[in-house]
Amino acid sequence: MKVLFLPEIRAYFEELSLILYEKEYFGFFEDAYRYADDLFAEIEKDLPNKSKKPAPEYFEKYGKGMHYTSFKRNKNTTWYVFFNSYRQDQEMFYLVRFLSNNHRIGKYL
């Protein structure tokens, strides 16, 4: 199984630590960086084993036929990962197409 990320998702992860630090969710940049890095690693490692649901129609602007799953990071924040899965030559691939958290998209789920 292989988890792949669209280039814009990789770019978002690169920006996430700066966003979290500038909005003062973390007092130290290193902590914000670790949070983003840990989230990326957790998605890469655990996505294939998570239960999934069909993505609501609202999210079709990011891709057709997607599923999503959640990653709870703390008592206030859950991240939602939207992806397509493909099988090629007996190997499963998971392509992450969109990522957001309950603070931004919770009302659409």
Side-chain angles (χ1 to χ4, degrees):
M1 292 178 272
K2 205 176 257 190
V3 177
L4 308 169
F5 297 83
L6 287 179
E8 52 267 31
I9 301 300
R10 286 187 172 274
Y12 178 75
F13 272 105
E14 291 176 10
E15 296 170 18
L16 181 59
S17 52
L18 186 58
I19 292 167
L20 294 171
Y21 177 69
E22 287 177 348
K23 292 193 176 205
E24 298 181 351
Y25 291 109
F26 291 91
F28 297 99
F29 180 76
E30 294 79 13
D31 293 335
Y33 179 84
R34 189 174 314 110
Y35 178 93
D37 193 51
D38 289 349
L39 177 59
F40 184 89
E42 183 180 1
I43 292 168
E44 194 170 41
K45 177 180 165 259
D46 294 340
L47 180 63
N49 302 317
K50 301 279 279 184
S51 62
K52 63 183 180 178
K53 297 179 183 177
E57 188 176 319
Y58 174 84
F59 297 98
E60 285 188 6
K61 58 188 169 188
Y62 302 107
K64 303 285 186 208
M66 289 190 307
H67 287 87
Y68 76 99
T69 192
S70 61
F71 290 83
K72 188 153 183 76
R73 297 300 293 166
N74 58 50
K75 66 180 181 172
N76 296 318
T77 305
T78 301
W79 288 89
Y80 295 96
V81 177
F82 295 80
F83 61 94
N84 292 106
S85 54
Y86 307 93
R87 181 177 298 280
Q88 182 178 3
D89 299 327
Q90 304 301 320
E91 186 170 12
M92 282 299 295
F93 292 89
Y94 298 84
L95 177 62
V96 177
R97 302 180 68 90
F98 181 66
L99 168 85
S100 194
N101 62 43
N102 59 300
H103 304 291
R104 299 193 68 194
I105 64 165
K107 63 185 173 189
Y108 302 110
L109 298 172

